[in-house]
């Protein structure tokens, strides 16, 4: 009796450990599947899922919703001039600067701010629960933060090869509009894309 009980307790414990290890693996995998491996911010898949959630909040709670599309200007030339390794550094830097603005945004507003790499040299921000003027101001804050940053190119050993390189971005801001009547995400991203090209 007693031995069997002890054995069962031990089995239960080790089973719990196995399950908890599996749960950790699953959450790690889910995190990895939603993270852009280069910049360490959310990837396109995470963006799509998040936007869907925010669209539901917009539909039920009528909270304003904005999407920003951010494109690094002349990135192909940048890559051609400095090579892909440096191009990758520029992408990482832009992601870091966007995250920094997001931190300021959260401290200053009650809104939500979600950054993701959209693909290639394009990034996106989802801003929820702030009005159009505020969204525009923060878009400008992102543009400015990146424009004022002095990008330094280092070789593999960390030696500075070139300093004070400017990176600029173009940003399109779109607000969710009720008259679209569906295909919300596509319409919103499309509107941000059009605004970016203007």
């Amino acid at each position: 009796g007693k031995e069997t009980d002890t054995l069962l307790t031990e089995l239960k414990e080790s089973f719990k450990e196995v399950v908890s290890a599996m749960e950790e693996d699953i959450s790690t995998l889910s995190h990895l599947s939603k993270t852009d491996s280069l910049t360490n911010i959310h990837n396109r898949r995470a963006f799509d899922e998040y936007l869907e959630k925010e669209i539901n909040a917009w539909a039920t709670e009528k909270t304003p919703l904005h999407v920003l599309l951010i494109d690094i200007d002349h990135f192909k030339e940048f890559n051609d001039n400095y090579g892909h390794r440096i191009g990758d550094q520029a992408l990482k830097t832009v992601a870091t600067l966007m995250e920094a603005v997001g931190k300021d945004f959260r401290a200053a507003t009650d809104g939500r701010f979600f950054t993701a790499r959209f693909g290639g040299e394009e990034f996106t921000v989802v801003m929820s629960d702030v009005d159009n003027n505020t969204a525009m101001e923060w878009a400008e804050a992102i543009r400015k933060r990146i424009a004022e940053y002095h990008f330094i190119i280092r070789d593999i050993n960390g030696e500075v090869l070139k300093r004070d390189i400017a990176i600029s971005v173009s940003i399109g801001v779109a607000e969710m509009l009720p008259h679209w009547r569906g295909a919300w995400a596509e319409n919103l991203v499309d509107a941000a894309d059009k605004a970016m090209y203007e």
Side-chain angles (χ1 to χ4, degrees):
K2 200 171 182 187
E3 278 170 21
T4 314
D5 286 352
T6 314
L7 191 63
L8 277 175
T9 308
E10 280 173 10
L11 273 173
K12 270 184 196 161
E13 284 310 310
S14 63
F15 187 67
K16 268 186 201 154
E17 279 169 27
V18 169
V19 169
S20 122
M22 280 166 75
E23 281 170 354
E24 260 176 51
D25 284 351
I26 288 167
S27 81
T28 305
L29 275 175
S30 146
H31 174 74
L32 284 175
S33 73
K34 291 177 193 169
T35 304
D36 175 56
S37 58
L38 175 69
T39 58
N40 270 325
I41 61 172
H42 299 106
N43 63 12
R44 179 67 188 271
R45 180 175 166 185
F47 164 78
D48 289 338
E49 279 180 24
Y50 181 82
L51 185 57
E52 209 51 56
K53 218 167 60 190
E54 286 297 329
I55 287 168
N56 291 334
W58 167 82
T60 51
E61 296 152 38
K62 298 286 172 271
T63 47
L65 177 60
H66 295 82
V67 162
L68 280 59
L69 270 189
I70 299 154
D71 191 77
I72 301 178
D73 299 328
H74 316 297
F75 190 66
K76 194 189 168 315
E77 275 169 48
F78 189 93
N79 264 338
D80 291 346
N81 288 339
Y82 303 114
H84 286 281
R85 190 179 65 83
I86 308 299
D88 285 353
Q89 281 180 29
L91 291 170
K92 285 181 193 173
T93 301
V94 167
T96 305
L97 295 171
M98 281 169 55
E99 292 273 83
V101 174
K103 209 173 155 186
D104 294 347
F105 173 94
R106 290 181 202 102
T109 71
D110 294 328
R112 295 183 294 285
F113 188 105
F114 179 94
T115 51
R117 185 174 174 200
F118 197 69
E121 68 274 25
E122 273 193 324
F123 294 86
T124 180
V125 169
V126 182
M127 270 186 223
S128 325
D129 224 358
V130 290
D131 62 23
N132 205 36
N133 283 347
T134 308
M136 288 297 206
E137 281 166 19
W138 284 97
E140 177 56 21
I142 294 170
R143 193 199 62 74
K144 221 172 133 203
R145 178 81 58 103
I146 294 166
E148 286 170 358
Y149 183 83
H150 296 294
F151 189 65
I152 294 172
I153 292 179
R154 299 172 187 278
D155 66 15
I156 293 170
N157 305 318
E159 295 293 316
V160 174
L161 298 177
K162 201 167 176 175
R163 53 177 78 241
D164 288 345
I165 290 165
I167 300 172
S168 66
V169 293
S170 300
I171 303 181
V173 181
E175 183 177 14
M176 178 65 96
L177 300 171
H179 70 249
W180 283 328
R181 303 180 195 283
W184 304 113
E186 291 87 340
N187 276 310
L188 193 51
V189 169
D190 203 40
D193 199 43
K194 285 194 177 84
M196 186 174 72
Y197 281 100
E198 280 165 28

